[in-house]
Amino acid sequence: MQLLFATSNINKVKEIQSLLPEGFSLLGLNDIGYNGDIPETADTIEGNSLLKAQFIAENFNRICFSEDTGLEVVALNGRPGVRTARYAGEQACNQDNISLVLKEMNTITERKARFKTVISFFDGKVFKQFEGVCNGCIATEAIGIDGFGYDPIFIPDGEVRTFAEMTLTEKNKFSHRKKAFNQFLEYLKDNK
Ligand code: IMP
């Protein structure tokens, strides 16, 4: 089965590719020649995830899935949340976002946080959603060079290392994205 993943983020494509069982293949938006932006104007992670799948389904008439991920920090009342990609501003890069979170958490000892991924799937008729959560905490400094996004400041529960200090296989043991994707795969297998 060939799945179209409504993202241009090569890191996300790489992660999902590492989770594909035999018999599945994956295309990203680059593979179908689309390099534009997809609107992310909803005020929830679930809403943005849905918008991406809807956009591709409506504009390309293709069965696809999408995902939206947010980092929710307890002491910041759930921020960055739906603003995770643009936390330090519309043009912010990963480093800007990480710096802002670390600055806001500077004097805070309660460092619990979680990543939440919501996958949306359009099967040609209805939309389905699958959620995966990874609980952990925010490190006191950015450590590690692997992964992407906020990985250098996120330590999953049961570990002392950040995601950015782990191989992809190690990150997958905890990953929010893997948990959501596994549910999606179960759905696909049950509804073949
Ligand atoms: P979006 O889901 O593409 O909108 O990404 C939201 C933000 O979360 C971006 O800043 C990503 O870099 C970041 N992000 C998404 N997934 C992960 C992850 O697995 N680890 C660290 N950061 C992530």
Side-chain angles (χ1 to χ4, degrees):
M1 183 187 286
Q2 190 176 65
L3 300 173
L4 173 62
F5 185 10
T7 186
S8 308
N9 182 329
I10 51 166
N11 293 296
K12 288 185 177 181
V13 172
K14 231 190 272 172
E15 285 197 7
I16 295 292
Q17 236 147 14
S18 78
L19 303 172
L20 284 181
E22 194 134 312
F24 285 86
S25 63
L26 192 72
L27 294 179
L29 290 184
N30 301 341
D31 299 310
I32 61 163
Y34 184 73
N35 298 305
D37 283 334
I38 304 182
E40 288 190 47
T41 49
D43 55 11
T44 59
I45 293 168
E46 289 78 2
N48 274 339
S49 175
L50 192 59
L51 278 184
K52 294 180 202 180
Q54 268 169 338
F55 181 85
I56 297 304
E58 280 162 14
N59 286 278
F60 296 91
N61 197 23
R62 296 279 297 251
I63 293 177
C64 68
F65 77 96
S66 60
E67 69 99 271
D68 198 64
T69 295
L71 175 66
E72 299 175 333
V73 182
V74 171
L76 301 180
N77 298 318
R79 295 196 316 274
V82 71
R83 300 271 316 152
T84 297
R86 299 165 298 281
Y87 194 44
E90 284 307 313
Q91 306 302 324
C93 64
N94 289 329
Q95 192 49 56
D96 299 332
N97 289 331
I98 284 177
S99 298
L100 180 55
V101 171
L102 287 179
K103 189 170 146 215
E104 290 186 318
M105 296 290 289
N106 194 22
T107 57
I108 296 175
T109 50
E110 162 55 274
R111 304 189 74 87
K112 280 198 202 101
R114 66 176 197 168
F115 272 117
K116 182 167 104 177
T117 290
V118 177
I119 287 181
S120 297
F121 175 60
F122 180 61
D123 70 2
K125 293 191 199 94
V126 287
F127 286 93
K128 297 263 173 216
Q129 291 200 312
F130 309 90
E131 181 182 305
V133 164
C134 174
N135 291 307
C137 65
I138 300 298
T140 50
E141 58 179 331
I143 311 173
I145 53 167
D146 285 322
F148 69 102
Y150 293 76
D151 279 348
I153 59 166
F154 186 82
I155 302 172
D157 281 352
E159 258 291 341
V160 290
R161 297 172 300 165
T162 68
F163 269 159
E165 295 180 278
M166 297 181 193
T167 62
L168 183 48
T169 309
E170 289 171 330
K171 179 177 175 182
N172 279 342
K173 283 188 206 145
F174 305 95
S175 163
H176 40 293
R177 186 163 294 105
K178 177 178 177 172
K179 288 173 188 159
F181 191 67
N182 279 352
Q183 287 183 47
F184 174 38
L185 282 179
E186 286 308 311
Y187 171 81
L188 289 179
K189 285 175 191 160
D190 292 346
N191 290 277
K192 249 193 215 163

